[in-house]
């Protein structure tokens, strides 16, 4: 099969197209013929080696973290899927590789593709939809009437998180550029801060939850707009000790990760709020729970551009250089 693989950590020059053996299918695995896969900032971080301390992949590595496709074979213990089923998934972190024609996915990480979505639309969702679900439902337990700030509401994660928070009954604020204010309002945002002309820290106050995909100073400011007892969840800030435990890091790495987030956690404690880093995990069950929201139109995919599979490297460059206007970039095999 054809695949796009990382041969050495660094930059785009360490990645190329290659012919690979077809995946082996274990007893609990489902072999998926991939119709579409999406590009995430995570792909560039893995390719560049930014995450090798906590994700020690062995190179060469086939890249890619989202897929939609058709089942072509099932393992002997698979009882949820059959050949011909249309599915979508974010494979487990140890079994990524969706920039390929085929991938074997554990049945627990797979879900039926929402019936109303195309393969391209479905492929844009798993990683960001699971991240939004695990942040807003699983960790924050968002309740109707709560005030939620979601940064970068027109981005891949933000565009789904805004819709999910609204579906949960929250009052939703978001940040966006001037050109994207209309889009995020269409997605359900009650309040939009134009980050080019406004400082959200001067406008917002008393929020219950912040979802931050940006990190840095943006995260520090976000802590200050929370009410006492509020929660800031970041996917771009420093990992916290809980993350190190979840990943099974060795004691030395745990100490290093604890030190990385110490300043942020101290700031949160002084303000009477909580900081939490989220490293999302694969879950076919959660993708199933999202399906009714997708099929009913309460959450709709936002796809910026679709590239042919052969142009996967160009698709990654497009994302890396910030050319996407809104939502996700997808590569299509058909």
């Amino acid at each position: 099969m054809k695949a796009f693989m990382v041969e050495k950590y660094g930059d785009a020059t360490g990645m190329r197209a290659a012919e690979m053996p077809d995946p082996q299918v274990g007893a609990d695995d489902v072999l998926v013929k991939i119709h579409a896969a999406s590009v995430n900032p995570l792909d560039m971080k893995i390719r560049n080696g930014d995450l090798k301390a906590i994700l020690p992949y062995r190179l060469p590595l086939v890249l890619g973290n989202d897929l939609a496709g058709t089942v072509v074979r099932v393992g002997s213990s698979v009882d949820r899927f059959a050949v011909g089923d249309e599915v979508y998934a974010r494979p487990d972190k140890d079994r990524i590789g969706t920039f390929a024609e085929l991938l074997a996915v554990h049945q627990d990480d797979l879900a039926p593709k929402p019936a109303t979505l195309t393969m391209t639309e479905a492929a844009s969702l798993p990683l960001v939809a699971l991240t939004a679900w695990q942040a807003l439902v699983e960790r924050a337990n968002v309740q109707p009437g709560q005030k939620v700030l979601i940064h970068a509401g027109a981005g891949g994660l933000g565009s789904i998180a805004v819709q999910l928070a609204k579906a949960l009954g929250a009052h939703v604020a978001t940040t966006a550029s001037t050109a994207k204010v209309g889009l995020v309002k269409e997605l359900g945002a009650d309040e939009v801060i134009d980050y080019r002309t406004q400082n959200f820290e001067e406008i917002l106050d008393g929020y219950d939850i912040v979802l931050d995909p940006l990190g840095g100073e943006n995260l520090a400011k976000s802590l200050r707009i929370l009410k006492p007892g509020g929660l800031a969840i970041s996917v771009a800030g420093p990992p916290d000790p809980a993350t190190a435990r979840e990943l099974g890091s060795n004691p030395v790495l745990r100490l290093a990760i604890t030190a990385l987030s110490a300043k942020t956690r101290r700031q949160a404690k002084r303000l009477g709020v909580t900081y939490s880093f989220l490293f999302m995990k694969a879950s076919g069950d959660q993708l199933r729970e999202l399906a009714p929201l997708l099929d009913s139109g309460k959450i709709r995919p936002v796809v910026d551009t679709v590239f042919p599979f052969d142009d996967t490297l160009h698709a990654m460059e497009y994302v890396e250089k910030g050319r996407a206007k809104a939502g996700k970039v997808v590569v299509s095999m058909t």
Side-chain angles (χ1 to χ4, degrees):
M1 68 173 185
K2 183 176 181 179
F4 286 86
M5 56 184 246
V6 179
E7 290 187 304
K8 62 179 180 178
Y9 288 130
D11 56 23
T13 61
M15 191 171 173
R16 68 178 180 88
E19 287 295 325
M20 307 281 290
D22 288 355
Q24 295 184 340
V25 180
D28 288 298
D29 291 344
V30 175
L31 185 64
V32 180
K33 179 181 179 181
I34 298 174
H35 291 253
S38 72
V39 180
N40 295 280
L42 176 62
D43 297 311
M44 272 63 76
K45 290 181 179 180
I46 293 172
R47 181 201 67 193
N48 295 346
D50 297 342
L51 301 176
K52 60 185 177 183
I54 58 174
L55 293 175
Y57 291 117
R58 180 180 297 176
L59 301 183
L61 167 74
V62 179
L63 204 57
N65 287 274
D66 281 312
L67 68 82
T70 305
V71 175
V72 292
R73 193 188 314 164
V74 298
S76 59
S77 299
V78 171
D79 55 9
R80 299 186 186 183
F81 300 96
V83 172
D85 287 350
E86 294 187 337
V87 294
Y88 74 145
R90 189 284 199 227
D92 181 77
K93 62 181 176 58
D94 296 325
R95 300 184 63 176
I96 67 171
T98 64
F99 296 156
E101 293 176 316
L102 296 164
L103 186 67
V105 183
H106 194 286
Q107 65 173 334
D108 291 347
D109 300 335
L110 205 61
K113 180 183 74 65
T116 59
L117 302 185
T118 65
M119 287 289 184
T120 297
E121 291 171 331
S124 75
L125 287 167
L127 188 143
V128 292
L130 286 171
T131 302
W133 184 273
Q134 289 166 23
L136 300 177
V137 176
E138 193 172 56
R139 192 162 296 185
N141 189 27
V142 171
Q143 298 298 307
Q146 284 189 312
K147 294 167 69 176
V148 178
L149 168 62
I150 294 161
H151 285 290
L157 172 58
S159 61
I160 301 303
V162 165
Q163 296 178 82
L164 177 58
K166 195 64 185 171
L168 294 169
H171 172 90
V172 182
T174 192
T175 55
S177 66
T178 309
K180 299 170 186 173
V181 169
L183 170 64
V184 293
K185 285 185 175 179
E186 288 178 14
L187 295 176
D190 299 292
E191 193 167 358
V192 184
I193 292 84
D194 182 345
Y195 67 78
R196 296 189 186 278
T197 60
Q198 298 173 296
N199 183 350
F200 74 88
E201 187 187 8
E202 297 173 355
I203 299 170
L204 305 178
D205 187 46
Y207 271 66
D208 297 280
I209 297 136
V210 175
L211 177 55
D212 163 56
L214 303 173
E217 183 59 26
N218 192 79
L219 173 58
K221 290 181 178 181
S222 295
L223 295 174
R224 296 195 284 268
I225 66 100
L226 287 167
K227 72 180 187 182
L231 172 63
I233 301 170
S234 181
V235 297
D240 56 16
T243 305
R245 290 192 297 270
E246 287 174 14
L247 292 173
S249 303
N250 64 55
V252 174
L253 186 55
R254 286 191 189 188
L255 285 173
I257 289 175
T258 298
L260 281 174
S261 61
K263 180 181 177 182
T264 301
R265 289 184 287 112
R266 282 197 301 269
Q267 181 190 6
K269 187 175 181 180
R270 285 196 303 268
L271 294 167
V273 302
T274 301
Y275 166 68
S276 179
F277 179 82
L278 177 67
F279 193 93
M280 64 78 58
K281 59 184 181 294
S283 174
D285 288 341
Q286 290 177 355
L287 289 174
R288 282 181 169 84
E289 291 190 74
L290 281 155
L293 293 170
L294 293 160
D295 281 332
S296 68
K298 289 184 178 179
I299 297 177
R300 64 178 177 88
V302 180
V303 176
D304 178 274
T305 309
V306 180
F307 286 80
F309 178 53
D310 287 346
D311 286 341
T312 294
L313 298 181
H314 291 142
M316 292 182 65
E317 180 186 22
Y318 183 86
V319 172
E320 189 170 24
K321 292 188 175 179
R323 293 175 182 165
K325 297 178 179 63
K328 295 291 292 294
V329 170
V330 177
V331 295
S332 174
M333 281 62 169
T334 55

Short mmCIF file of all heavy atoms in Angstrom, two decimals, residues 28-30 71 74-75 77-83 85-87 106-112 283-286 288:
data_model
loop_
_atom_site.label_atom_id
_atom_site.label_comp_id
_atom_site.label_asym_id
_atom_site.label_seq_id
_atom_site.Cartn_x
_atom_site.Cartn_y
_atom_site.Cartn_z
N ASP A 28 -8.66 -8.53 17.46
CA ASP A 28 -9.62 -7.46 17.78
C ASP A 28 -9.54 -6.29 16.80
O ASP A 28 -10.11 -5.24 17.06
CB ASP A 28 -9.37 -6.94 19.20
CG ASP A 28 -9.79 -7.94 20.26
OD1 ASP A 28 -10.99 -8.27 20.30
OD2 ASP A 28 -8.92 -8.41 21.02
N ASP A 29 -8.86 -6.49 15.69
CA ASP A 29 -8.64 -5.40 14.74
C ASP A 29 -9.64 -5.41 13.59
O ASP A 29 -10.15 -6.47 13.20
CB ASP A 29 -7.23 -5.47 14.15
CG ASP A 29 -6.16 -5.15 15.16
OD1 ASP A 29 -6.49 -4.58 16.22
OD2 ASP A 29 -4.98 -5.48 14.89
N VAL A 30 -9.85 -4.22 13.06
CA VAL A 30 -10.67 -4.03 11.87
C VAL A 30 -9.78 -3.38 10.81
O VAL A 30 -9.17 -2.34 11.06
CB VAL A 30 -11.87 -3.12 12.18
CG1 VAL A 30 -12.66 -2.81 10.90
CG2 VAL A 30 -12.77 -3.76 13.23
N VAL A 71 -14.80 -0.91 5.97
CA VAL A 71 -14.21 -2.13 6.52
C VAL A 71 -14.00 -3.14 5.39
O VAL A 71 -14.92 -3.45 4.63
CB VAL A 71 -15.12 -2.74 7.60
CG1 VAL A 71 -14.57 -4.09 8.08
CG2 VAL A 71 -15.29 -1.77 8.77
N VAL A 74 -12.11 -8.20 9.06
CA VAL A 74 -12.24 -8.12 10.52
C VAL A 74 -11.49 -9.28 11.17
O VAL A 74 -11.40 -10.38 10.61
CB VAL A 74 -13.72 -8.12 10.98
CG1 VAL A 74 -14.46 -6.90 10.45
CG2 VAL A 74 -14.41 -9.40 10.56
N GLY A 75 -10.96 -9.02 12.37
CA GLY A 75 -10.27 -10.06 13.12
C GLY A 75 -11.25 -11.06 13.71
O GLY A 75 -12.47 -10.84 13.77
N SER A 77 -12.02 -11.95 16.66
CA SER A 77 -12.78 -11.60 17.86
C SER A 77 -13.65 -10.36 17.68
O SER A 77 -14.30 -9.91 18.63
CB SER A 77 -11.83 -11.37 19.05
OG SER A 77 -11.10 -12.53 19.35
N VAL A 78 -13.67 -9.81 16.48
CA VAL A 78 -14.46 -8.59 16.24
C VAL A 78 -15.93 -8.94 16.17
O VAL A 78 -16.35 -9.81 15.42
CB VAL A 78 -14.00 -7.89 14.94
CG1 VAL A 78 -14.95 -6.75 14.58
CG2 VAL A 78 -12.57 -7.38 15.09
N ASP A 79 -16.74 -8.22 16.99
CA ASP A 79 -18.18 -8.48 17.01
C ASP A 79 -19.02 -7.23 16.77
O ASP A 79 -20.24 -7.28 16.84
CB ASP A 79 -18.58 -9.12 18.35
CG ASP A 79 -18.15 -8.29 19.55
OD1 ASP A 79 -17.70 -7.13 19.37
OD2 ASP A 79 -18.26 -8.79 20.69
N ARG A 80 -18.36 -6.11 16.49
CA ARG A 80 -19.11 -4.85 16.29
C ARG A 80 -19.20 -4.41 14.84
O ARG A 80 -19.99 -3.55 14.49
CB ARG A 80 -18.45 -3.72 17.10
CG ARG A 80 -18.41 -3.92 18.59
CD ARG A 80 -17.87 -2.68 19.26
NE ARG A 80 -17.66 -2.85 20.68
CZ ARG A 80 -17.24 -1.89 21.49
NH1 ARG A 80 -17.00 -0.69 21.01
NH2 ARG A 80 -17.07 -2.10 22.79
N PHE A 81 -18.34 -5.00 13.99
CA PHE A 81 -18.25 -4.52 12.61
C PHE A 81 -18.19 -5.68 11.64
O PHE A 81 -17.78 -6.79 11.99
CB PHE A 81 -17.00 -3.63 12.44
CG PHE A 81 -17.00 -2.42 13.33
CD1 PHE A 81 -16.33 -2.44 14.55
CD2 PHE A 81 -17.68 -1.28 12.96
CE1 PHE A 81 -16.34 -1.34 15.39
CE2 PHE A 81 -17.70 -0.17 13.79
CZ PHE A 81 -17.04 -0.21 15.01
N ALA A 82 -18.61 -5.38 10.40
CA ALA A 82 -18.59 -6.39 9.34
C ALA A 82 -18.02 -5.75 8.07
O ALA A 82 -18.02 -4.52 7.92
CB ALA A 82 -20.00 -6.91 9.08
N VAL A 83 -17.55 -6.59 7.18
CA VAL A 83 -17.02 -6.10 5.90
C VAL A 83 -18.08 -5.27 5.20
O VAL A 83 -19.25 -5.66 5.13
CB VAL A 83 -16.57 -7.28 5.02
CG1 VAL A 83 -16.20 -6.80 3.61
CG2 VAL A 83 -15.39 -7.99 5.67
N ASP A 85 -18.95 -2.14 6.20
CA ASP A 85 -19.40 -1.05 7.07
C ASP A 85 -18.60 0.22 6.80
O ASP A 85 -17.38 0.17 6.59
CB ASP A 85 -19.21 -1.42 8.55
CG ASP A 85 -20.21 -2.46 9.03
OD1 ASP A 85 -21.16 -2.76 8.28
OD2 ASP A 85 -20.02 -2.95 10.16
N GLU A 86 -19.29 1.36 6.84
CA GLU A 86 -18.62 2.65 6.74
C GLU A 86 -18.32 3.14 8.15
O GLU A 86 -19.22 3.18 9.01
CB GLU A 86 -19.50 3.65 5.99
CG GLU A 86 -19.72 3.27 4.52
CD GLU A 86 -20.45 4.34 3.74
OE1 GLU A 86 -21.16 5.16 4.36
OE2 GLU A 86 -20.31 4.36 2.51
N VAL A 87 -17.08 3.51 8.40
CA VAL A 87 -16.62 3.80 9.75
C VAL A 87 -15.77 5.07 9.78
O VAL A 87 -15.32 5.56 8.74
CB VAL A 87 -15.80 2.62 10.32
CG1 VAL A 87 -16.67 1.39 10.50
CG2 VAL A 87 -14.61 2.31 9.39
N HIS A 106 -8.09 -1.01 16.24
CA HIS A 106 -8.77 -1.83 17.26
C HIS A 106 -10.26 -1.49 17.24
O HIS A 106 -10.65 -0.32 17.14
CB HIS A 106 -8.19 -1.54 18.64
CG HIS A 106 -8.58 -2.55 19.68
ND1 HIS A 106 -9.86 -2.59 20.23
CD2 HIS A 106 -7.89 -3.56 20.27
CE1 HIS A 106 -9.92 -3.58 21.11
NE2 HIS A 106 -8.74 -4.19 21.16
N GLN A 107 -11.11 -2.50 17.36
CA GLN A 107 -12.55 -2.26 17.24
C GLN A 107 -13.08 -1.27 18.28
O GLN A 107 -14.07 -0.56 18.04
CB GLN A 107 -13.32 -3.57 17.31
CG GLN A 107 -13.24 -4.31 18.62
CD GLN A 107 -14.18 -5.52 18.65
OE1 GLN A 107 -15.20 -5.55 17.96
NE2 GLN A 107 -13.84 -6.52 19.45
N ASP A 108 -12.42 -1.16 19.44
CA ASP A 108 -12.88 -0.24 20.48
C ASP A 108 -12.68 1.23 20.09
O ASP A 108 -13.31 2.11 20.67
CB ASP A 108 -12.14 -0.49 21.80
CG ASP A 108 -12.53 -1.82 22.44
OD1 ASP A 108 -13.54 -2.41 22.00
OD2 ASP A 108 -11.83 -2.25 23.37
N ASP A 109 -11.79 1.48 19.14
CA ASP A 109 -11.49 2.86 18.74
C ASP A 109 -12.30 3.31 17.53
O ASP A 109 -12.20 4.47 17.10
CB ASP A 109 -9.99 3.00 18.43
CG ASP A 109 -9.13 2.66 19.62
OD1 ASP A 109 -9.60 2.78 20.76
OD2 ASP A 109 -7.97 2.24 19.41
N LEU A 110 -13.11 2.42 17.00
CA LEU A 110 -13.83 2.65 15.75
C LEU A 110 -15.31 2.86 16.01
O LEU A 110 -15.85 2.35 16.99
CB LEU A 110 -13.63 1.42 14.86
CG LEU A 110 -13.74 1.52 13.35
CD1 LEU A 110 -12.70 2.48 12.80
CD2 LEU A 110 -13.53 0.14 12.74
N ALA A 111 -15.97 3.62 15.13
CA ALA A 111 -17.42 3.83 15.25
C ALA A 111 -18.04 3.89 13.86
O ALA A 111 -17.37 4.25 12.89
CB ALA A 111 -17.71 5.13 16.01
N PRO A 112 -19.33 3.56 13.74
CA PRO A 112 -20.01 3.73 12.45
C PRO A 112 -19.99 5.19 12.03
O PRO A 112 -20.20 6.09 12.85
CB PRO A 112 -21.43 3.26 12.75
CG PRO A 112 -21.31 2.39 13.95
CD PRO A 112 -20.21 2.96 14.77
N SER A 283 -11.56 6.82 21.34
CA SER A 283 -12.75 6.21 21.94
C SER A 283 -13.85 6.06 20.90
O SER A 283 -14.49 7.05 20.50
CB SER A 283 -13.28 7.06 23.11
OG SER A 283 -14.51 6.54 23.58
N GLY A 284 -14.09 4.82 20.48
CA GLY A 284 -15.21 4.55 19.58
C GLY A 284 -16.54 4.82 20.25
O GLY A 284 -17.49 5.29 19.61
N ASP A 285 -16.65 4.56 21.56
CA ASP A 285 -17.91 4.79 22.28
C ASP A 285 -18.28 6.26 22.27
O ASP A 285 -19.45 6.62 22.09
CB ASP A 285 -17.80 4.28 23.72
CG ASP A 285 -17.80 2.76 23.80
OD1 ASP A 285 -18.24 2.11 22.82
OD2 ASP A 285 -17.36 2.22 24.83
N GLN A 286 -17.30 7.14 22.47
CA GLN A 286 -17.61 8.57 22.47
C GLN A 286 -17.97 9.06 21.07
O GLN A 286 -18.84 9.94 20.92
CB GLN A 286 -16.44 9.36 23.05
CG GLN A 286 -16.28 9.15 24.55
CD GLN A 286 -15.09 9.87 25.14
OE1 GLN A 286 -14.29 10.48 24.43
NE2 GLN A 286 -14.94 9.79 26.45
N ARG A 288 -19.60 7.31 19.00
CA ARG A 288 -21.01 6.89 18.88
C ARG A 288 -21.93 7.89 19.57
O ARG A 288 -23.03 8.18 19.08
CB ARG A 288 -21.19 5.50 19.50
CG ARG A 288 -20.73 4.34 18.65
CD ARG A 288 -20.99 3.02 19.36
NE ARG A 288 -20.80 1.87 18.48
CZ ARG A 288 -19.63 1.32 18.24
NH1 ARG A 288 -18.54 1.82 18.82
NH2 ARG A 288 -19.52 0.28 17.42
#
